[in-house]
């Protein structure tokens, strides 16, 4: 689950300006490939939140209007955590985001029923453009896996994966009611074991490091994360944001340091070449991550070179949360323009579209097989 990304605060444009902008935004910008012939759309969105931290957001039909012809397919999930409105904490102020209150977050499992029901209200053609994901489970609960299984049994034919769910995330993890999630909790192993069995694609958010960590130190959660991934070689896993976060900057990310070393990219590159981690992919979602990639000409070149070397292991996603319209939605894709320009046509196509199709088509098909065997 990702935050209220800064682009969401873009003013909601109204009237003819908005319409003109929407039309303009629907046209690929300079240097960007036109929609490819193989499949429709300029990109697929591997990371999209239909609703926010108070379970409000878009109807999928409104999202389909934003997608138009520019987006082929998209994942579909809410946010598993609900921000409590504590009168004792904020009085009449109703928080809509986790940074706006000291009150806890709690797991809001109804999100899965909500996503399933709005998905089922769509036509078959529209359904085919979405890959709904189960998120409303507590990864620190040994019963968490039972929730996932129950959702598949209650809503067969709907879900392709689980996530985005979160283990470590700045300011969020510590606010969640009950036991804090951990990469070493067997409850999480049970969930990933089941995902591997059922074929569910796994989209996991785990900050690689603590907020405002010291430069040049080994990221605090890297060892545990790699061990977790290695324990589940049969699960298809997407590590959201390459492990980065709002205040979890790439190791040696400053413009000055970036000229000497590419720390974070070396960590990711080492994982990409590790034969024990061939089942792990990375999404390059979130404007907070894009800002690191496009920080300097050197960072742009370095990120593009890594994507070109491993085109099959990255997926583009917007990580927008209930976007108010086309402008904030497409802004994330357009932020990456300097990187897209440096990609080979093959790498660009794979990261924008075909990796999504390969991974989620397989997830869909395997979960439908599991349902045939296990849902009466
Ligand atoms: Zn997210």
């Amino acid at each position: 689950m990702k935050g209220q990304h800064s682009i969401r605060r873009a003013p909601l444009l109204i009237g003819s300006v908005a319409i003109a902008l929407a039309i303009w935004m629907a046209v690929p910008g300079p240097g960007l490939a036109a929609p490819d012939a193989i499949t429709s759309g300029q990109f697929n969105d591997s990371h999209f939140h239909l609703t926010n931290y108070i379970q409000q957001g878009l109807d999928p039909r409104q999202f389909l209007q934003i997608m138009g012809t520019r987006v082929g397919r998209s994942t579909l999930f809410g946010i598993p955590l609900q921000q409590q409105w504590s009168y004792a904490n904020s009085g009449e102020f109703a928080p809509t985001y986790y940074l706006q209150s000291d009150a806890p977050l709690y797991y809001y499992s109804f999100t899965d029923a909500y996503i399933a029901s709005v998905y089922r209200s769509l036509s078959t053609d529209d359904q085919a453009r979405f890959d709904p994901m189960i998120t409303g489970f507590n990864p620190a609960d040994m019963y968490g896996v039972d929730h996932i299984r129950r959702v598949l049994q209650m809503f067969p034919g709907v879900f392709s994966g689980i996530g985005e769910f979160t283990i470590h995330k700045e300011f969020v993890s510590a606010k969640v009611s009950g036991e804090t999630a951990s990469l070493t909790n067997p409850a999480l192993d049970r969930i990933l074991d089941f995902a591997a069995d059922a074929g569910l694609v796994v989209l996991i958010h785990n900050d690689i490091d603590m907020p405002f960590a010291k430069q040049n130190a080994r990221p605090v959660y890297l060892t545990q994360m790699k061990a977790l991934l290695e324990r589940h070689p049969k699960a298809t896993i997407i590590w959201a944001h390459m492990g980065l976060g709002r205040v979890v900057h790439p190791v040696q990310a400053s413009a000055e340091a970036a000229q000497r070393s590419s720390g974070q990219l070396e960590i990711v590159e080492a994982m990409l070449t590790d034969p024990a981690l061939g089942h792990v992919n990375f999404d390059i979602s979130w404007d907070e991550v894009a800002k690191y990639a496009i920080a300097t000409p050197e960072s742009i070149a370095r990120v593009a070179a890594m994507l070109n070397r491993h085109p099959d292991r990255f997926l583009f996603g917007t990580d927008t949360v209930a976007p108010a319209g086309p402008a904030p939605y497409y802004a994330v894709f357009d932020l990456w323009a300097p990187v897209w320009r440096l990609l080979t046509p093959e790498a660009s196509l794979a990261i924008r579209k075909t990796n999504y199709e390969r991974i989620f088509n397989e997830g869909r098909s395997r979960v439908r097989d599991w349902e045939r065997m296990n849902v009466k």
Side-chain angles (χ1 to χ4, degrees):
M1 77 223 80
K2 198 74 327 330
Q4 180 167 344
H5 314 155
S6 54
I7 53 161
R8 297 190 55 224
R9 293 191 288 274
L12 178 57
L13 295 164
I14 53 170
S16 57
V17 174
I19 293 165
L21 189 62
I23 293 166
W24 181 79
M25 291 301 295
V27 178
L32 299 175
D36 308 280
I38 300 174
T39 51
S40 64
Q42 187 180 33
F43 64 91
N44 297 317
D45 192 343
S46 69
H47 194 133
F48 177 75
H49 299 271
L50 193 66
T51 54
N52 64 10
Y53 279 87
I54 56 166
Q55 311 302 321
Q56 294 176 354
L58 297 182
D59 181 275
R61 284 177 184 80
Q62 294 170 301
F63 182 40
L64 279 163
Q65 289 198 334
I66 292 176
M67 291 164 71
T69 55
R70 193 172 169 189
V71 179
R73 285 166 60 177
S74 178
T75 50
L76 204 60
F77 43 88
I79 296 242
L81 292 161
Q82 162 83 28
Q83 173 63 58
Q84 179 191 345
W85 178 4
S86 163
Y87 194 85
N89 184 262
S90 63
E92 296 295 338
F93 175 72
T96 60
Y97 191 49
Y98 64 87
L99 293 177
Q100 295 176 345
S101 168
D102 298 321
L105 301 159
Y106 61 92
Y107 287 101
Y108 189 84
S109 296
F110 183 73
T111 183
D112 296 326
Y114 174 76
I115 293 289
S117 93
V118 294
Y119 171 84
R120 283 186 163 178
S121 74
L122 299 172
S123 70
T124 310
D125 283 352
D126 287 343
Q127 285 179 350
R129 297 179 68 184
F130 291 121
D131 287 284
M133 308 279 276
I134 298 168
T135 62
F137 55 89
N138 180 349
D141 184 352
M142 294 290 277
Y143 282 132
V145 68
D146 297 275
H147 171 83
I148 296 167
R149 191 183 292 107
R150 191 174 300 121
V151 170
L152 292 182
Q153 287 169 338
M154 284 288 293
F155 300 103
V158 174
F159 291 97
S160 307
I162 59 173
E164 180 194 26
F165 68 96
T166 293
I167 305 302
H168 292 291
K169 177 176 161 79
E170 32 77 23
F171 314 126
V172 168
S173 313
K175 276 187 60 151
V176 178
S177 290
E179 187 178 343
T180 302
S182 156
L183 295 166
T184 59
N185 191 328
L188 179 55
D189 286 306
R190 283 160 66 94
I191 288 166
L192 296 185
D193 282 344
F194 178 68
D197 279 354
L200 291 157
V201 177
V202 176
L203 176 57
I204 181 171
H205 179 123
N206 185 68
D207 289 350
I208 197 170
D209 212 341
M210 66 181 89
F212 310 115
K214 247 175 52 188
Q215 292 282 19
N216 302 320
R218 182 175 172 83
V220 65
Y221 299 123
L222 177 60
T223 303
Q224 289 182 5
M225 183 64 174
K226 281 170 73 173
L228 174 77
L229 298 169
E230 284 168 11
R231 286 200 298 280
H232 299 280
K234 294 200 169 130
T236 298
I237 298 174
I238 302 168
W239 189 357
H241 327 304
M242 298 188 288
L244 302 178
R246 177 186 306 281
V247 287
V248 178
H249 47 67
V251 180
Q252 295 182 330
S254 72
E256 190 189 292
Q259 318 216 335
R260 295 198 300 272
S261 166
S262 54
Q264 175 75 20
L265 295 186
E266 284 166 3
I267 289 169
V268 172
E269 184 108 30
M271 294 179 68
L272 290 164
T273 52
D274 183 341
L277 298 175
H279 58 301
V280 178
N281 307 279
F282 297 86
D283 88 25
I284 54 165
S285 69
W286 202 4
D287 55 342
E288 296 280 341
V289 170
K291 81 183 178 193
Y292 295 127
I294 61 171
T296 66
E298 291 75 20
S299 67
I300 292 167
R302 211 175 266 132
V303 169
M306 181 177 70
L307 300 183
N308 279 330
R309 277 195 296 276
H310 307 279
D312 299 335
R313 306 289 289 281
F314 293 94
L315 297 91
F316 173 73
T318 62
D319 196 16
T320 47
V321 181
Y329 179 75
Y330 289 108
V332 188
F333 183 84
D334 295 335
L335 271 177
W336 284 91
V339 175
W340 297 131
R341 286 191 196 101
L342 296 186
L343 297 188
T344 66
E346 296 76 21
S348 173
L349 183 64
I351 294 163
R352 287 181 292 113
K353 294 170 68 174
T354 51
N355 292 340
Y356 178 106
E357 287 155 18
R358 184 184 74 251
I359 289 170
F360 284 95
N361 286 353
E362 192 196 341
R364 265 189 204 187
S365 144
R366 287 193 54 207
V367 177
R368 298 295 87 80
D369 288 346
W370 184 92
E371 289 167 351
R372 268 189 289 281
M373 302 284 290
N374 294 281
V375 182
K376 289 162 194 96

